Amino acid sequence: MTATGITLGELAVRFGCELRGDPRLVVERVDSLESASDGALSFLINPKYRPQLATTRATAVILGQAAATQCPVAALVAANPHAVYARVAEILHPSVRAAPGVHPSAVVDPAADVDPSAHVAAQAFVGPRARIGARTFIGPGCVVEEGAQLAADVRLVARVTICHGVRIDARTIVHPGAVIGADGFGLARDGGRWIKVPQLGSVRIGEDVEIGANTTIDRGAIGDTIIEEGVKLDNLIQVGHNCVIGAHSAIAACTGIAGSTIIGKRCQVAGRGGFAGHLTVCDDVIVTATSVIMHSITEPGVYSAALPAVEAQAWRKTVARLRSLDDIARRLLRLERAAGDRAARHIEPDPAQAKKGDPSD
Amino acid sequence: MTATGITLGELAVRFGCELRGDPRLVVERVDSLESASDGALSFLINPKYRPQLATTRATAVILGQAAATQCPVAALVAANPHAVYARVAEILHPSVRAAPGVHPSAVVDPAADVDPSAHVAAQAFVGPRARIGARTFIGPGCVVEEGAQLAADVRLVARVTICHGVRIDARTIVHPGAVIGADGFGLARDGGRWIKVPQLGSVRIGEDVEIGANTTIDRGAIGDTIIEEGVKLDNLIQVGHNCVIGAHSAIAACTGIAGSTIIGKRCQVAGRGGFAGHLTVCDDVIVTATSVIMHSITEPGVYSAALPAVEAQAWRKTVARLRSLDDIARRLLRLERAAGDRAARHIEPDPAQAKKGDPSD
Amino acid sequence: MTATGITLGELAVRFGCELRGDPRLVVERVDSLESASDGALSFLINPKYRPQLATTRATAVILGQAAATQCPVAALVAANPHAVYARVAEILHPSVRAAPGVHPSAVVDPAADVDPSAHVAAQAFVGPRARIGARTFIGPGCVVEEGAQLAADVRLVARVTICHGVRIDARTIVHPGAVIGADGFGLARDGGRWIKVPQLGSVRIGEDVEIGANTTIDRGAIGDTIIEEGVKLDNLIQVGHNCVIGAHSAIAACTGIAGSTIIGKRCQVAGRGGFAGHLTVCDDVIVTATSVIMHSITEPGVYSAALPAVEAQAWRKTVARLRSLDDIARRLLRLERAAGDRAARHIEPDPAQAKKGDPSD
């Protein structure tokens, strides 16, 4: 399916952009500032790439007001250039929709209910009482177990596993290797052994969710694990049983969320974030890369425990000193007392104290 | 398969519980304290949920002695309520066993040996000389390579890969996407290039093991990687070549274990734990979430390096100070010396020192 | 395929080793120092295992000059014993090559181009316009989507997903569950929602690359994600969109690399390393286990932020003190000033300062 191009004038009208340049110019594809050539529409979102603007050979660039005057070619000036870019890219490079039907190598249980407009690809399996909605795509090698329910326009890209009884709402995309609805890690100790606790709940996934490659979302122990609408999960994420992830939260790769933790709406978690179990995190929380939330959060804000790597020898010294930090604190207190410091006090482990600062400094 | 319910009297006798309430009451299903309605059996294990006890509408609750008097409905009082709950849940919600046989779409090599009572599901593959034991379940889309040996009652849920020659003992469960027996990461440096070191060992997995979704267990370089009986591994765990995980250890999601490390029996590792390679960790070690073991451990106990995330601005200050920790320590020493402190000494990086404390404090 | 053995004399000549012992001795297999018996060739690479040398029953041992005189059996003394071992192991335990052909259960699109010498295994799928090179192996359950191009002697072990248009060069090995070319995590914020940014690039993988089980490599947003020749990736690694990993770099399991980061050649990243996005890391950088690179690196060297776990109670004290580190630093400065210390100064958060040390100490 080849896009035949679209004029800048049409784009400006359609997306409410200010156009600086000839409205009759036609763009046929998107490309980066650096690689773009004639016919390409480029974009400037990350200010890091602004130096490339001056030399771009794109036909036009989508950008914000701040950079508009520096654009050497036609410009589509947008309040939210990233969102406009995303929509234009979809128009110029539309997704190809698979033809309806079941591939002869696919296995669809006679008791499954597959909409005639759905596509079930080669080597896929759809179990008994599974329901596959209109235009939904079950990619090659996918397994949809008994009683799973996929609404309309869901897309399982390839080799996805949807376990029994899982429900997925419209337009959700699941990338290869993801596993939705495996048993949660429920164990009861019995003497020196572990007994498996039956995992009787399921997983419910809202509309417009995206789930990355090899991500795993466990079914609830009792009651369901819930991923609300518009949530975006990157690759290799673990979501434990009975978690709830609030609508429109976005979580980057390698993050782990232990069981029964409830994350609010519109949260953002950077790569390799983490959450202990049984926590409640309010809406609009941002967690920086590699940081782990170990207590419930009631205040929106940015939370961090990231430790940037430094030259290894310097780090070894720091680690060695870390071990004696308690000793350092005690000796500092003793010195203060010896000096008759009237402010001498136990050094408080409360982070709130640190914020009060020291007026003498 | 519908459970028709069981009386509290029968449960009390069968599991040795003290019954507070009418032994003729019947329970048909398990449910949480909060969601339970008539006919449901609930449970109180995590004290966090005790406030829900007062208002539960469950027919009965499994709980410990401490909370028994506060239970507003019938109570099954158990020494280990979690274990009793796990067993009762299995009775009320029994697993469905697949009928024996090989699905027509499955491919079983003529030289494989599949027990007639085993089930090989749709789109599965069983390679030459593989052995599949009695009542073992090879789920949809699974790959069992040449010469792999699965004992009785093993369950590969779906899309599992068992590589060549891997051996799995009875009643072990492997969840979707897990890969058992891929090549270990064995590389020899040769000038500026890497040469692959053939991975000639295999993986042996004991009885009653559970392996989570998308977890990977590499085959040994020489000799086998060994997962002993009763080990429970959560999702997205990496076990390197030639590791040994001792019986009845439980390891939570996203943990990584580098090659040739030996972990003892009954260890517990919380989410995203880590182990460097070539270590030996004794029995009964507990590792807290996100903590990484970098040296062998000879004493049972709890080990940690977890850094809870805090408000990001406060954390940035801490990180900045961390970089000057060595400087702080040296300047503290100088002050002590200047003050004529007879106890002035180099601040020791040895954690044992820190424990000695300071008698003046 | 049984190897019939090879004489030490032939091995010494072929690999340029000094032979200490009878050149007519025959070895038939490799084994560890501890397990070796008659006919086995062993090796000593990690000095940790040197104590096992004295009692080995191997027929011969490959080792370096330093240990040669202590070897109680025949010795092949090599400048690089690890590389020699890797090559000899491949000779004694050669990989079995699958016969050419397409398994009857495999689905190969009529518009795919599969070399007659390639092998497409059971339950695999090869999409339209995919190209499969000479002697390439598409293992059981693999999915090769539309337009993907695999050169000669590529090996997809089993259940691998190669997404549309991905290109893989000769002799690259991909282990089970890996996903190459899933959509990158590209999102544009639009009010309180996320819009998916089309991921229009692809993935290019060089020659002699190895990709571990359940590792994910995302396709570029615009332009390609690039894995250069000779790169070795372990299991459960995440490579974000538009990353470049330089030739002959080796990255251990559970590492995450955020989008658009460029890693140099011959870098080594230990387990659970991490890289923030949009960074540039020069050649020959080593990152220690669990350490996260948050800034671009321009100097080769070793970088670390690893925190080894310690006994949990001691760690809790350290964490408590960490929170007051800013307070400690400020109070130390006040004491210095009170003591009239002419060197009193703000404690610098710059790690370069810490290195300067204190001449009085």
Side-chain angles (χ1 to χ4, degrees), chain B residues 161 189 196 273 278 331, chain C residues 48 159 210 268 272 336:
Chain B
T161 306
R189 192 125 203 199
K196 181 176 175 63
H278 295 274
R331 288 164 66 176
Chain C
K48 197 166 174 176
R159 278 187 51 248
E210 189 162 355
Q268 296 179 48
R272 196 181 295 161
E336 287 179 326

Side-chain angles (χ1 to χ4, degrees), chain B residues 23-272:
Chain B
R24 294 163 305 178
L25 283 169
V26 172
V27 288
E28 291 166 347
R29 61 188 182 283
V30 297
D31 206 342
S32 67
L33 285 171
E34 200 175 16
S35 310
S37 55
D38 194 46
L41 176 64
S42 195
F43 56 96
L44 174 61
I45 296 149
N46 187 335
K48 197 168 176 175
Y49 297 106
R50 190 186 285 206
Q52 298 177 358
L53 186 59
T55 56
T56 190
R57 285 166 301 187
T59 291
V61 178
I62 302 171
L63 36 58
Q65 195 65 53
T69 58
Q70 295 160 42
C71 187
V73 296
L76 286 161
V77 186
N80 185 345
H82 204 186
V84 169
Y85 167 73
R87 292 198 171 97
V88 174
E90 180 63 32
I91 290 169
L92 291 173
H93 304 267
S95 313
V96 181
R97 182 172 294 285
V102 175
H103 190 276
S105 69
V107 173
V108 175
D109 190 278
D113 175 4
V114 177
D115 191 278
S117 64
H119 179 94
V120 181
Q123 313 290 23
F125 168 69
V126 178
R129 283 168 296 287
R131 290 220 304 261
I132 310 296
R135 297 170 305 279
T136 280
F137 176 85
I138 309 296
C142 288
V143 169
V144 178
E145 291 190 335
E146 180 169 359
Q149 297 180 24
L150 280 61
D153 297 302
V154 168
R155 184 172 179 84
L156 310 184
V157 175
R159 278 187 50 249
V160 165
T161 306
I162 305 296
C163 295
H164 63 95
V166 166
R167 280 169 288 168
I168 300 182
D169 281 348
R171 295 177 303 282
T172 282
I173 301 170
V174 188
H175 290 288
V179 177
I180 317 293
D183 279 355
F185 199 54
L187 303 171
R189 192 125 203 199
D190 187 35
R193 307 177 67 89
W194 298 101
I195 310 176
K196 181 176 175 63
V197 178
Q199 301 294 297
L200 304 170
S202 185
V203 179
R204 278 184 285 152
I205 296 180
E207 299 185 342
D208 298 304
V209 168
E210 189 161 353
I211 296 169
N214 284 346
T215 280
T216 58
I217 303 176
D218 282 349
R219 65 193 315 112
I222 285 190
D224 295 338
T225 302
I226 296 172
I227 313 295
E228 294 183 357
E229 59 168 357
V231 166
K232 308 295 180 182
L233 302 180
D234 198 354
N235 298 350
L236 289 170
I237 289 172
Q238 153 71 359
V239 180
H241 52 185
N242 294 103
C243 286
V244 177
I245 303 184
H248 308 298
S249 286
I251 300 182
C254 304
T255 291
I257 307 171
S260 299
T261 279
I262 298 169
I263 296 178
K265 298 184 198 305
R266 297 175 305 279
C267 291
Q268 296 180 48
V269 181
R272 197 182 294 163

